[in-house]
Amino acid sequence: MSSADGAGSGELLQELARRFGPRCLRERARVRLYGYDAMGTAFGVPLAVVQVESQEDIHDLIGIVRRHGGKIVARGAGTGLSGGAVPGDGQVVASLERLQAVSQPDALHRRLRVEAGVVNGSLDAVLRPYGLFYPPDPASYRVSTIGGNVAENAGGPHAVKYGVTGHRVAAIEMTDAEGRRGLLAAGPWQGGPDLAALVTGAEGTLGIVSAVSLSLEERPDTTLTMLLSFAEIAQASACVSAIVASGVLPSTLEFLDRATVAAVETWGVARYPEGSGAVLLVEFDGRPGEVERGARNAEEIGLANGAISCEIARSAEEQDALWLGRRGAYAVVARYGRRVLTQDVTVPRDRLTEMLAAVEEISARHGLRAVTVGHAGDGNLHPDFAYDPQDAEENARVHSANREILAACVALGGSITGEHGIGTEKLGQLEIMFGPAELGLTWAVRQALDPGGLMNPGKAVPQAPRVRPEEAAAACAGGQAEAAQALLEAVRRARAQGQRLSPDYCALRGIEVSLANMTVRVGAGNTVAELAAELSGQALGFAVEPLLAETFADLLHTNDYGPEEIAQGTLRRHLLAVTYVTGYGELVRFGRDVVKNVAGYDLYRLLIGSRGRLGVPIELSLRLVPRREAPWWSRSGGLDDYGGATGLQRLFAVPEGGIYRLYLQSETPPDGFRPSPEAPEILAGLRLGLKERGGGGLLDIAVPWQEMERSLGALDTPPMLVLPSAGRILARCARTTAVAVAKSAGPPSAASYEGRALPSGTDELARLWRERLYAVFDPDGILKGGDEA
Amino acid sequence: MKVRDAIDTCIQCGFCLQSCPTYRIFRTEESSPRGRIARLKDVLSGVVEETPETLATFEECLGCRACEAACPSGVPYEEILLVGRARLRALEDPPPAAARLALRLVRSHVLLLSARRLWRAESSRTLRLARRLHGRGSALRLLAALPEAEAVPEVPAQPGARVQIHRGCVMDVVWPRTNARAALLLREAGLSADLMPQPAGCCGALHAHQGDLPAAREMARQVIAAFEATGGETVVSLAGGCGAHLKGYGELLADDPLWKERAERFSRRVEDVATLLDRQGYRARPPEAGERITYQDSCHLRNGLKVHAAPRRLLAGEGYCEMEGAGTCCGSAGIYNLVRGDVSDIVLQGKVREIEKTGAKTVITANPGCELQLRLGAREAGGAFAVRHLVDWLWERRGDAEG
């Protein structure tokens, strides 16, 4: 680990002490306590620890460390499992534990701004009175900080239904390696590549996140827990796939293998039915009827798959009793050895049986016993080895078994880490999952955004040379191989001749549905309508209903969405992987067909909204969701009236005779709304009207909440469609003055961000980052299209 | 367990952090259980020099053991803490004078007896004086918060009773009526119970927690002998902290070949009054909606003796309101409020805020130290709530339970 040299570090210390006073810890005894995390095997002694209390502090800290050639590691509660926040010797730790502010929840838009040091588990008390909750719940949620959750893109048992941290981060306030403060907003707000997705899971290598805006969920009315016991592991994993494919999604679906059951029973933590060789814990939440339906369905599927018993718990105490074994599993394993090596492999849900068999075979071959628990609903397994790191021979066996298990998981199409991160632990293992093209591109991104390597060096992404375009073809494989080859050729030609590239998506087609994994792979040239046709009659569907985008390439480039956005979010919540060719000429695939994946930078969601400036997509992997069709469409006046509806599924507004008629689909219509079965036709008509050429240019803007009325006032001519939850306005309008007024509010930006004023230059960070990324992905500008104008 | 083995059980997961009152105040690793364990490891292995400064964090610790309840891998934190404190004492860094005085006082049977007599006669005058001088040091503030001596009900002797109440030291001076009421309540609940004959004296918890293990062991031997002489089957303390310490005698005297077995047998016989009453099905008149009450756990009762549900069952009723963070320390922590009044005050302020949020008019607790600390909180918050020992509250509502 590099750091300031002897003389430089003395001056660095002095300046830090001058600026931060007693908040700069420098005594050896004290800084040593920041040298570890929960993984337990990584250790380093930092030069100093600075307890920051504001974004101002972070800005100054970065400036000082930078001037003296030091390195910085941001740290929350130090509960990570991959060494992500463990400093190298001589580095400076920025402790974010004192960033404790939490805003008042915005119940209407389901948002909450929290600072990085706020503990995940403390949010519940804040949100309960508002009927809201924050779903991601990593095992450490009672102690881990939101900043740490964002850095590692933490998951947890609830991810099967509600997604992981990255799906909940609506905006990020951060300071980059050059001291630039800024706001990165996700989804439709900022436009351009999704920089917030890139920073989430980057393990603090791109800057220091000081606060985030989280998107929340309606709190479920009831929860029901069910324990299904099986004699054989294969029965349990077949049951998982069947439950998932049935379209009745549990809120958690946890798995304990035979070794865990035995360990938990041996230590008296819990008892399971006689003959249990594997146990599934299934939880449903939501409205009572929905929950009971889910439970009945899961019970039937369980029994059909050979369950030997099915226990159901409705009260909190009974539920706690069923959870005892799962919650206590890690501690029980810890008693078998001095250390526990916890793995974190994720495979497509329909490959769980094979993965478990591989774990068993590999462990046995190395004379080890794996104790496996996991979030089966996500295909995320944690095989644990208890061992003694000081026993060199055992240590070697554990680590070669570990590597073989990772390789087996990659061979099954999985990710080597679902929620724990790369840190230092898996830095040398990313190459199992990625080829030279992906690793080279990833390193180039890191260098572009932190040219000095100031932020958390040696974590998350390994140093790797960029492949030369002429060598890129070697990596080409898979169903779209021919098309990919042609694209690479075209890119090379365009670069050589200094021309723009206009990709032809017609050849990039093909739909592969996997109901048992709740995923689909689509060609970039397929249309959203084609996928809908393919899935008609199934229990699962694709959630995003774009208003304008036809093909998946369009959807990826524009991040289009429709009235379902309020319930389903935008594409970022549903995109799992993208295969693409960069403007530089690499063929790469980031992401996997799994919902939990924190291996390396998120260079697939980054493409969302990028207008094709980063690469040409070939194939996308998407998450499917259960179809939920509430019978109620209703309507009322006023733009802000939707607050009273629960189970909201779709929402839009249209001008009708001087007022804005609000249409919404929900399970319980709010007071004062009238049934409106005609709403879907109104929506379909508007979509057609908006797409029609002629009748003025198409205006498609997003404005801050506060400016909505003013922008609407200027337009006020049909066809016009408003998506109030995202602030989006679509209209056909020929009057240039009206358009100018509507646009004058500008996009929702830093200044208007939830009513808070942020330091100037906030948008500058996003602009500069975009420029730097374009230079990495498309050095000769061959992807600059008409869209960019 | 040897302290190095105890340290090795910590897997550094950090699950203890949020449970720790001092971590939540200072937000530094050094003020957390995980950090303290790592510090002792560093000190023992010689990587970090052993000085009053590097060991100061063991004095800062409240010793509430909330971290033990949060720990997934069963780290015996208190053992580690006591070693840290004993090493600190060995560096001749004496506790403050008031704390030294308190420790000396409770060790002497003669002094305790006179204190008891003096308090019965002079409590109101002493309190008036203390309250007038209020604000001049934490010892006086605490003294001023003490309750006045009240009439002690007669407990007819019951030789050979199965349940023996350990009267304790301060408890026996200031709260003798609570001890007596406990004996009578246990009898009402159908148990044969009596007060242990004086002088069994102090259990030694305060000494052990201050790092004076030799004194603590000596006092343990006295208590064990006194209990054995009664022929009782169960020993009960009305102070959560003392009860947990009595339960730990087996561990405390594990290296004493003559006493090891006796101490282990004694430890197995330690029970808590709420558990006994609850097990007998005893119920007082439940609190009505209008008379809002809440319960503050005694840390050592909850985390040491693992008694959590029984007192709540005894208090259940419409007027009961569970307090957010009832299981976290109030800052009393033995004589911590004498040793580290600064930190103790911050903890207490947080606790008073939580009590006020419940709207409770009465806070029930199960330890004299907590009772005194909360009375201090009430005094300084304008006396918005009353504080009662669980036994006193049950006593005042005995005999007319519904149903």
Side-chain angles (χ1 to χ4, degrees):
Chain A
M1 304 273 148
S2 58
S3 72
D5 57 32
S9 70
E11 285 166 23
L12 170 54
L13 261 183
Q14 269 176 17
E15 201 175 339
L16 288 174
R18 221 173 14 246
R19 166 65 177 79
F20 297 102
R23 290 191 286 127
C24 170
L25 314 181
R26 45 198 291 199
E27 302 83 356
R28 200 171 129 76
R30 302 178 83 185
V31 299
R32 279 179 63 82
L33 302 182
Y34 292 80
Y36 48 73
D37 70 357
M39 181 171 72
T41 44
F43 186 73
V45 183
L47 177 73
V49 176
V50 174
Q51 299 173 308
V52 299
E53 291 179 348
S54 63
Q55 208 179 23
E56 200 71 44
D57 280 351
I58 296 175
H59 173 263
D60 292 357
L61 173 63
I62 290 177
I64 294 171
V65 174
R66 192 173 184 79
R67 268 201 301 287
H68 294 278
K71 307 287 178 196
I72 300 186
V73 185
R75 181 184 182 279
T79 57
L81 285 166
S82 53
V86 174
D89 288 342
Q91 298 177 357
V92 176
V93 170
S95 167
L96 308 184
E97 289 160 287
R98 294 189 174 183
L99 293 175
Q100 286 290 330
V102 179
S103 73
Q104 177 135 336
D106 174 350
L108 194 61
H109 304 112
R110 299 183 193 159
R111 289 286 189 86
L112 182 74
R113 177 187 179 269
V114 299
E115 288 189 345
V118 172
V119 169
N120 177 322
S122 70
L123 295 182
D124 203 57
V126 177
L127 297 174
R128 214 181 302 136
Y130 294 83
L132 297 169
F133 87 117
Y134 175 67
D137 55 344
S140 60
Y141 79 98
R142 285 177 203 277
V143 289
S144 58
T145 62
I146 290 295
N149 288 178
V150 170
E152 300 295 333
N153 194 3
H158 270 114
V160 59
K161 180 169 176 182
Y162 295 105
V164 297
T165 305
H167 299 127
R168 299 283 150 197
V169 174
I172 290 179
E173 290 167 39
M174 68 175 299
T175 309
D176 79 357
E178 289 160 309
R180 231 173 269 110
R181 278 168 280 184
L183 177 111
L184 305 176
W189 272 36
Q190 205 158 37
D194 190 339
L195 300 174
L198 174 64
V199 169
T200 308
E203 305 189 357
T205 57
L206 300 178
I208 298 182
V209 174
S210 48
V212 292
S213 172
L214 300 172
S215 80
L216 310 166
E217 283 284 329
E218 220 172 90
R219 206 177 179 82
D221 299 338
T222 51
T223 304
L224 178 149
T225 308
M226 175 187 271
L227 189 128
L228 288 163
S229 310
F230 299 86
E232 299 299 330
I233 282 183
Q235 296 171 322
S237 49
C239 182
V240 171
S241 298
I243 290 177
V244 163
S246 74
V248 187
L249 202 56
S251 51
T252 62
L253 180 40
E254 299 285 298
F255 167 84
L256 286 76
D257 75 346
R258 188 186 302 275
T260 313
V261 168
V264 163
E265 292 195 329
T266 306
W267 292 98
V269 176
R271 293 225 64 81
Y272 294 108
E274 191 71 33
S276 298
V279 170
L280 292 181
L281 257 174
V282 195
E283 210 159 85
F284 292 92
D285 67 10
R287 265 155 271 285
E290 194 184 344
V291 163
E292 293 296 333
R293 246 191 334 276
R296 254 197 325 276
N297 178 60
E299 184 176 6
E300 271 168 33
I301 294 174
L303 294 175
N305 280 281
I308 51 179
S309 83
C310 173
E311 279 176 71
I312 291 180
R314 289 185 175 81
S315 76
E317 282 127 42
E318 290 171 346
Q319 289 171 359
D320 282 345
L322 291 189
W323 272 95
L324 273 179
R326 174 65 185 94
R327 294 211 175 107
Y330 184 72
V332 162
V333 177
R335 295 187 195 198
Y336 285 126
R338 294 169 83 96
R339 286 275 171 230
V340 179
L341 182 106
T342 300
Q343 298 170 86
D344 182 31
V345 292
T346 305
V347 292
R349 287 171 263 231
D350 48 346
R351 314 301 293 271
L352 270 174
T353 314
E354 291 158 85
M355 188 65 228
L356 285 161
V359 169
E360 207 160 295
E361 188 273 321
I362 294 166
S363 319
R365 192 149 38 72
H366 288 85
L368 298 168
R369 178 170 54 168
V371 181
T372 304
V373 296
H375 314 299
D378 308 319
N380 183 198
L381 295 176
H382 299 308
D384 295 338
F385 291 124
Y387 73 111
D388 181 355
Q390 279 149 30
D391 177 341
E393 188 270 335
E394 190 186 24
N395 196 27
R397 273 189 291 139
V398 163
H399 284 94
S400 40
N402 178 32
R403 198 172 168 96
E404 283 180 41
I405 287 172
L406 297 184
C409 136
V410 170
L412 292 170
S415 166
I416 60 171
T417 175
E419 54 186 12
H420 294 171
I422 297 295
T424 51
E425 192 210 5
K426 293 195 175 72
L427 198 62
Q429 292 155 348
L430 263 185
E431 50 150 14
I432 304 175
M433 197 170 152
F434 293 114
E438 282 107 354
L439 292 178
L441 176 63
T442 304
W443 184 252
V445 168
R446 193 207 192 298
Q447 279 191 306
L449 301 183
D450 176 12
L454 181 80
M455 307 306 306
N456 208 8
K459 312 287 168 57
V461 293
Q463 191 163 355
R466 197 145 185 207
V467 295
R468 283 181 308 196
E470 54 272 27
E471 291 163 0
C476 198
Q480 312 268 5
E482 242 171 77
Q485 198 57 60
L487 252 177
L488 282 172
E489 202 53 52
V491 167
R492 222 169 291 152
R493 235 184 357 259
R495 282 195 70 184
Q497 296 166 2
Q499 290 169 342
R500 298 276 155 87
L501 180 75
S502 20
D504 173 17
Y505 290 104
C506 295
L508 306 174
R509 296 168 58 84
I511 298 179
E512 266 177 80
V513 178
S514 168
L515 291 178
N517 189 34
M518 292 181 77
T519 57
V520 61
R521 286 188 185 194
V522 294
N526 283 109
T527 64
V528 179
E530 283 166 352
L531 177 61
E534 184 79 24
L535 289 169
S536 77
Q538 301 288 357
L540 302 172
F542 177 57
V544 183
E545 300 164 13
L547 292 169
L548 306 169
E550 305 271 347
T551 65
F552 283 97
D554 286 347
L555 176 61
L556 182 68
H557 291 158
T558 58
N559 195 20
D560 194 6
Y561 56 92
E564 79 295 342
E565 181 269 347
I566 190 158
Q568 298 288 354
T570 54
L571 180 61
R572 124 202 278 249
R573 240 188 247 183
H574 305 278
L575 185 67
L576 301 176
V578 183
T579 306
Y580 59 98
V581 171
T582 61
Y584 172 88
E586 296 137 318
L587 172 67
V588 291
R589 178 161 185 252
F590 287 98
R592 290 296 180 263
D593 294 355
V594 293
V595 279
K596 272 187 185 162
N597 173 15
V598 293
Y601 286 167
D602 186 337
L603 297 187
Y604 55 103
R605 275 184 272 241
L606 178 68
L607 302 195
I608 297 176
S610 66
R611 311 259 159 198
R613 280 302 311 273
L614 301 177
V616 182
I618 295 171
E619 188 181 65
L620 289 74
S621 294
L622 304 167
R623 189 168 78 99
L624 298 178
V625 297
R627 285 183 203 281
R628 238 175 103 200
E629 291 290 323
W632 286 101
W633 271 103
S634 42
R635 66 186 167 108
S636 175
L639 274 178
D640 282 348
D641 287 348
Y642 56 94
T646 54
L648 205 51
Q649 292 171 13
R650 285 176 184 80
L651 175 73
F652 66 92
V654 285
E656 273 174 32
I659 59 153
Y660 284 87
R661 186 78 70 192
L662 196 67
Y663 290 89
L664 57 84
Q665 189 186 25
S666 65
E667 279 158 30
T668 54
D671 290 341
F673 275 53
R674 267 188 284 150
S676 172
E678 73 283 6
E681 283 101 81
I682 294 175
L683 181 62
L686 275 170
R687 282 186 60 181
L688 275 181
L690 288 168
K691 279 186 184 182
E692 242 165 46
R693 307 244 173 234
L698 176 68
L699 182 73
D700 181 0
I701 55 171
V703 298
W705 321 113
Q706 305 90 320
E707 304 295 334
M708 195 106 182
E709 301 274 356
R710 189 161 71 93
S711 294
L712 289 175
L715 296 166
D716 207 13
T717 47
M720 185 168 150
L721 177 62
V722 182
L723 300 175
S725 61
R728 185 174 175 194
I729 303 171
L730 288 110
R732 284 263 165 213
C733 186
R735 293 176 293 132
T736 48
T737 47
V739 170
V741 174
K743 278 186 166 174
S744 65
S749 66
S752 63
Y753 170 61
E754 286 169 20
R756 297 176 58 256
L758 279 154
S760 61
T762 293
D763 292 326
E764 191 57 21
L765 173 70
R767 198 192 57 76
L768 190 103
W769 275 31
R770 279 200 292 268
E771 289 307 321
R772 290 191 180 176
L773 289 174
Y774 295 156
V776 169
F777 281 81
D778 180 21
D780 297 333
I782 63 165
L783 297 173
K784 261 189 199 163
D787 269 356
E788 196 51 28
Chain B
M1 203 185 278
K2 289 273 171 284
V3 68
R4 277 168 203 276
D5 294 333
I7 287 172
D8 269 352
T9 56
C10 173
I11 53 172
Q12 301 186 323
C13 65
F15 279 29
C16 52
L17 295 178
Q18 283 298 314
S19 72
C20 177
T22 56
Y23 172 76
R24 286 205 308 270
I25 292 172
F26 298 111
R27 303 264 171 207
T28 62
E29 192 71 15
E30 191 178 29
S31 294
S32 78
R34 177 174 66 174
R36 291 188 178 108
I37 295 170
R39 171 62 53 77
L40 189 62
K41 187 177 184 176
D42 278 352
V43 164
L44 292 179
S45 63
V47 182
V48 162
E49 204 189 338
E50 185 166 10
T51 65
E53 290 73 42
T54 58
L55 291 178
T57 185
F58 291 100
E59 190 158 84
E60 181 193 87
C61 171
L62 292 147
C64 69
R65 300 172 69 180
C67 50
E68 289 186 20
C71 178
S73 53
V75 175
Y77 174 78
E78 189 172 55
E79 288 178 36
I80 296 168
L81 167 68
L82 296 189
V83 170
R85 283 199 180 154
R87 295 185 79 99
L88 182 60
R89 285 291 91 83
L91 294 177
E92 292 180 330
D93 180 38
R100 283 205 305 278
L101 187 70
L103 291 176
R104 185 128 11 109
L105 170 75
V106 299
R107 256 193 98 171
S108 158
H109 302 308
V110 181
L111 283 178
L112 272 182
L113 275 178
S114 1
R116 186 173 191 222
R117 245 176 264 129
L118 192 70
W119 188 256
R120 288 201 72 164
E122 299 290 336
S123 72
S124 50
R125 196 134 43 113
T126 318
L127 285 174
R128 265 203 309 280
L129 185 67
R131 283 168 193 169
R132 202 172 316 137
L133 295 171
H134 180 256
R136 312 237 180 117
S138 41
L140 271 179
R141 280 174 66 209
L142 280 173
L143 188 62
L146 282 171
E148 266 185 49
E150 283 178 44
V152 180
E154 188 68 27
V155 183
Q158 231 178 49
R162 290 172 51 198
V163 180
Q164 294 288 334
I165 293 176
H166 175 252
R167 303 176 186 219
C169 47
V170 178
M171 191 80 200
D172 195 36
V173 173
V174 183
W175 288 273
R177 59 152 194 195
T178 308
N179 275 336
R181 286 169 170 182
L184 296 174
L185 280 177
L186 286 167
R187 284 181 192 178
E188 221 172 278
L191 293 165
S192 82
D194 207 348
L195 297 167
M196 256 164 80
Q198 283 168 335
C202 170
C203 66
L206 299 177
H207 305 75
H209 293 153
Q210 285 305 306
D212 188 355
L213 293 178
R217 293 198 181 100
E218 187 45 43
M219 295 158 90
R221 292 183 195 107
Q222 286 179 20
V223 173
I224 294 170
F227 171 69
E228 287 173 348
T230 65
E233 287 170 15
T234 303
V235 60
V236 164
S237 165
L238 277 284
C242 305
H245 186 66
L246 296 173
K247 191 87 185 164
Y249 275 3
E251 195 66 43
L252 185 67
L253 294 174
D255 291 333
D256 184 336
L258 288 176
W259 283 84
K260 182 173 185 294
E261 218 168 287
R262 287 169 80 177
E264 279 167 2
R265 194 168 50 231
F266 178 89
S267 287
R268 282 196 297 276
R269 302 188 157 198
V270 176
E271 281 280 12
D272 142 74
V273 68
T275 309
L276 288 179
L277 288 173
D278 180 53
R279 201 180 291 152
Q280 293 295 111
Y282 183 86
R283 292 291 179 267
R285 182 162 50 85
E288 283 150 30
E291 40 179 359
R292 227 164 158 70
I293 63 165
T294 190
Y295 177 68
Q296 162 66 31
D297 282 289
S298 144
C299 295
H300 283 234
L301 185 61
R302 182 181 175 122
N303 306 320
L305 291 175
K306 317 273 182 229
V307 176
H308 163 258
R312 286 174 170 77
R313 278 196 291 270
L314 292 170
L315 295 170
E318 271 196 54
Y320 180 79
C321 174
E322 178 75 16
M323 180 194 342
E324 191 77 38
T328 66
C329 188
C330 64
S332 162
I335 56 167
Y336 187 87
N337 43 14
L338 286 178
V339 181
R340 287 298 302 266
D342 52 341
V343 181
S344 172
D345 275 355
I346 303 175
V347 176
L348 179 58
Q349 283 154 17
K351 187 56 72 180
V352 168
R353 274 197 299 277
E354 290 300 344
I355 294 172
E356 283 171 349
K357 267 194 234 162
T358 65
K361 294 173 185 153
T362 309
V363 188
I364 320 286
T365 180
N367 185 53
C370 312
E371 182 179 337
L372 178 56
Q373 175 84 347
L374 294 175
R375 288 175 63 93
L376 180 70
R379 265 180 67 78
E380 302 195 346
F385 52 86
V387 188
R388 288 273 178 288
H389 192 287
L390 174 68
V391 162
D392 290 321
W393 189 83
L394 292 172
W395 175 264
E396 283 153 17
R397 313 170 64 88
R398 70 192 184 284
D400 46 1
E402 290 162 20

